Amino acid sequence: MKKFIYLAVLLFIHTTFNNTALAQEDKTVLVPLPSIDDFTKGEDGWAFGLGVGLEYESAYEGSDEFGLEAQPAGAVQWRSGDNIYYFAGEAFGWRGLLNDQWLLDALIGFEEGREESDSDDGRLDGLGNQEEGYELVLQARRSFTQDWRYWLVSRFVASENGNLALFGVGRRFGEQTDGTGSEINLVFVVHDSEYANNGFGVDAMQSASSGLEETNLSGGLRSFGIDYNYRQNLNSDWQIYGEALFEYFSSEVRDSPIARSDYEAEVGLGVIYKF
């Protein structure tokens, strides 16, 4: 039932803003932000990007273990003016311009589960496995300038395991407006109690099985974070990208016995071929 509700919301958002989006003639990307992939080369119709990336990241939220993993990169996109529909990995979504200063994004995807085997050191033993679930992600960015030099960002995540919201500010570096260069975002994140306990709570049964102290978290501040994105065209077809994320947890999250580290971090690098 939730999946049908999410699809209805996505359709409503597109219907509301599709007729008000303003086309821009002299640009090749929807917005000149390295964090927003756009393989359309400024043309309406289908576009494809296919590649691979390497990610070095925390084994799970709150882990002090890190691992290197290869991930597919790219997306299938269809552009119509200032609207792009896309399928990327396990996410289907739409993004579009309301005007020169508002970018909206909505997607339906999967929230990663957690397995006891994610910890090589056995830190998750007795906590059980968490299955993947659907999530709806709504995002808005409001630029202060037409060239997207500075902006405000907000994101809301509604999932089967609770809700999360993010708010922050961003800055783009470099003079190019073709989607390459780099950007940085400073954010803070809040979550409700259901989301908090899904990641960092320990119920009575888990406590008995794992030996960890029973823990129940309240909603509120989750973390402060910083993320960096880089994108560069090697030629008209090949593109490289990089990303880095650092999230410092709030005191309540840090006190959870699941949080073996005060932070979560990720670094990624990849290459994409644009068709």
Side-chain angles (χ1 to χ4, degrees):
M1 183 64 182
K2 284 187 177 181
K3 180 167 72 171
F4 293 107
I5 295 174
Y6 292 168
L7 286 170
V9 172
L10 187 63
L11 179 61
F12 170 78
I13 291 172
H14 166 253
T15 303
T16 302
F17 295 112
N18 185 47
N19 294 330
T20 59
L22 303 177
Q24 298 180 23
E25 296 180 355
D26 298 326
K27 66 180 184 181
T28 59
V29 292
L30 196 63
V31 287
L33 299 180
S35 61
I36 305 296
D37 53 18
D38 184 346
F39 308 129
T40 65
K41 301 180 182 179
E43 301 176 358
D44 285 354
W46 291 103
F48 304 88
L50 181 63
V52 64
L54 287 177
E55 296 181 353
Y56 183 72
E57 60 182 349
S58 303
Y60 56 91
E61 291 184 338
S63 174
D64 58 357
E65 305 168 56
F66 288 81
L68 186 65
E69 185 177 8
Q71 295 279 0
V76 178
Q77 301 176 340
W78 187 79
R79 182 167 181 170
S80 176
D82 279 350
N83 298 277
I84 292 180
Y85 305 85
Y86 59 90
F87 176 75
E90 296 181 325
F92 168 76
W94 158 84
R95 66 174 59 105
L97 285 172
L98 177 58
N99 54 43
D100 290 347
Q101 295 174 295
W102 279 99
L103 174 70
L104 305 178
D105 199 320
L107 69 87
I108 298 171
F110 281 99
E111 179 185 23
E112 270 190 44
R114 187 184 68 195
E115 298 182 356
E116 292 185 358
S117 59
D118 288 343
S119 172
D120 292 334
D121 296 339
R123 301 285 177 81
L124 299 176
D125 291 352
L127 295 179
N129 297 332
Q130 296 176 347
E131 300 297 328
E132 286 187 342
Y134 286 106
E135 65 178 12
L136 169 68
V137 182
L138 303 175
Q139 179 170 270
R141 297 199 197 193
R142 201 280 186 187
S143 177
F144 295 112
T145 59
Q146 290 190 351
D147 63 355
W148 288 83
R149 180 66 63 187
Y150 302 93
W151 61 86
L152 296 174
V153 61
S154 61
R155 182 184 305 150
F156 177 72
V157 180
S159 75
E160 297 176 308
N161 298 310
N163 305 306
L164 174 146
L166 172 152
F167 305 93
V169 296
R171 186 187 193 280
R172 181 176 63 85
F173 301 92
E175 299 302 321
Q176 62 269 50
T177 57
D178 60 355
T180 62
S182 61
E183 73 175 66
I184 194 169
N185 293 275
L186 300 174
V187 302
F188 71 91
V189 185
V190 296
H191 53 194
D192 63 16
S193 59
E194 184 180 1
Y195 198 100
N197 284 294
N198 183 67
F200 297 100
V202 181
D203 62 27
M205 184 177 297
Q206 291 174 321
S207 177
S209 300
S210 66
L212 298 178
E213 182 181 356
E214 188 173 346
T215 303
N216 184 57
L217 282 71
S218 60
L221 180 65
R222 170 190 171 91
S223 62
F224 294 97
I226 181 172
D227 67 79
Y228 173 82
N229 290 273
Y230 171 82
R231 194 176 298 271
Q232 184 63 48
N233 291 326
L234 300 178
N235 52 42
S236 60
D237 297 318
W238 287 97
Q239 183 180 90
I240 60 172
Y241 71 90
E243 55 190 8
L245 168 70
F246 179 84
E247 182 181 14
Y248 186 75
F249 296 125
S250 67
S251 58
E252 185 181 37
V253 172
R254 298 197 306 269
D255 288 340
S256 166
I258 295 178
R260 303 286 180 163
S261 175
D262 294 343
Y263 64 89
E264 182 178 3
E266 176 185 332
V267 177
L269 182 65
V271 61
I272 294 174
Y273 182 81
K274 298 180 292 181
F275 293 87

